[in-house]
Amino acid sequence: MSNYVRSAAYSASQALAAQGLTVKRSHLSEVIAALLGYRTHAALSVEQADLKLDYHLDDAEILVLNLPMGERRTAELGLAAAGAAPSAVTMACVEALKASAGSTDVYVSVADFYDSHARQALAETIYNADDVAGAMAESNASFPNEPEMDIECPPTTDLWAAVDEWTIEADGAMTGEYDPEGDRMFNGDTLNCRGWLIYRKAGRAGLVFIEGDGTGGADDSWRDLDRDDEWAYQQSLGSNPAN
């Protein structure tokens, strides 16, 4: 992983030099380490050398960067005093990490990870879950589409502080298609769903997918509406002088 960080630091220094900014590569390595969730580059190096760990950063399938931590480290190093805008340094390191990551997907936050990857992965996982398949079978509706997931990123435990595993889970709703001309009575066409994805940690910012699953059940709120409509209808009959 030291070569990975070294490559990103070199790329960031070249990008900043093109903007007329000179920043030491040792400082850029510190910022990159912070983006990867480490207080210092030394802390990153110590953890990467720990052979007792099952996964290290270079095993990661996904990297989720800690942008606020990277920005704080940039400020701590006093790079602004040297004429380098902290935001320019941080973003140069982010882009360098993306370029150096190869086939590893890089996201700048948990929200970015959810919006760009996990939301769709959760929808697919829910749609293929055995429990959800059972709920669909019990309904009179057909469900050709995956669930619509929550737009907002769900709350999670601190990804960069998690030691062994990290999980993200979110709610969704699956709306089916019901044939009113069919021979079965309507019993709901919406499923309330929940899915989760479990990852092993690979370093502070790295994730390796382990498994995912989902659950779902019929949304019976339509029954209350049906009863309300029936009650209103009966009330209208009772208040009609002709009756």
Side-chain angles (χ1 to χ4, degrees), residues 83-229:
S87 60
V89 173
T90 305
M91 292 316 298
C93 290
V94 168
E95 294 305 316
L97 275 167
K98 289 181 177 180
S100 302
S103 61
T104 302
D105 294 324
V106 180
Y107 303 95
V108 298
S109 65
V110 173
D112 180 35
F113 166 68
Y114 177 72
D115 191 53
S116 301
H117 173 77
R119 184 165 54 198
Q120 180 59 36
L122 284 162
E124 293 174 0
T125 298
I126 289 170
Y127 192 77
N128 293 307
D130 290 341
D131 185 72
V132 177
M136 287 191 283
E138 292 175 2
S139 171
N140 293 343
S142 60
F143 295 85
N145 299 316
E146 296 166 353
E148 291 290 330
M149 303 303 297
D150 287 346
I151 296 297
E152 296 298 324
C153 179
T156 68
T157 58
D158 189 332
L159 182 152
W160 304 282
V163 178
D164 295 317
E165 289 187 352
W166 181 77
T167 300
I168 185 168
E169 50 188 312
D171 295 319
M174 191 182 300
T175 303
E177 299 174 353
Y178 172 73
D179 181 6
E181 303 300 324
D183 58 359
R184 298 179 66 186
M185 182 179 296
F186 178 78
N187 69 346
D189 61 357
T190 302
L191 302 180
N192 292 325
C193 308
R194 187 169 185 82
W196 54 90
L197 305 172
I198 301 174
Y199 296 87
R200 287 294 303 276
K201 291 297 300 295
R204 305 284 175 84
L207 300 174
V208 176
F209 178 71
I210 300 301
E211 62 179 350
D213 205 353
T215 186
D219 181 346
D220 288 333
S221 60
W222 65 273
R223 297 183 188 275
D224 294 331
L225 295 174
D226 196 44
R227 282 193 289 268
D228 289 344
D229 290 343

